[in-house]
Amino acid sequence: MAIVETVVVGHVAGFCLLLAWAIRRRGAVDLIAGYDGGLPPEREAELARDAAAVLVVAAAASGLIVVDAWTGAVPRPGALVTVAVVAAVAWFLWKWNGREPGAD
């Protein structure tokens, strides 16, 4: 069963990393759902960095599922992955939606 989990999680993690690379490499903030434009270029670059970071965290956290499948050494890997991804997404949403513009 570990091979199946590795393949499935590997595809998901690979897609997250590919999307993070595309966003970061080209600053393609139009790949970010819900972004409607209007930010200055330096803020768009920051948005691209932050979105790519969230995707990398999701890919890395999902690796815990693979580690657990092969070793059985990770206690409650699903809960740890969920907490890591929720924390990264909550940080991203707070940073880009929860603060007043210019309050840096």
Side-chain angles (χ1 to χ4, degrees), residues 64 68 73-82:
L64 287 175
D68 183 64
V74 181
R76 302 180 52 95
L80 291 174
V81 170
T82 301

Side-chain angles (χ1 to χ4, degrees), residues 1-20:
M1 191 66 176
I3 292 176
V4 174
E5 288 181 2
T6 302
V7 170
V8 171
V9 172
H11 278 84
V12 172
F15 183 72
C16 285
L17 292 174
L18 180 65
L19 189 56

Side-chain angles (χ1 to χ4, degrees), residues 48-103:
R49 273 193 313 273
D50 291 347
V54 169
L55 288 166
V56 169
V57 166
S62 63
L64 287 175
I65 294 172
V66 173
V67 170
D68 183 64
W70 286 97
T71 65
V74 181
R76 302 180 52 95
L80 291 174
V81 170
T82 301
V83 167
V85 172
V86 166
V89 170
W91 167 79
F92 182 82
L93 291 175
W94 171 80
K95 181 174 182 181
W96 288 98
N97 293 325
R99 296 186 303 174
E100 290 293 321

Side-chain angles (χ1 to χ4, degrees), residues 17-29 31 45 48-49 52:
L17 292 174
L18 180 65
L19 189 56
W21 173 81
I23 290 171
R24 180 80 167 109
R25 169 91 166 127
R26 302 200 182 262
V29 292
L31 291 174
R49 273 193 313 273

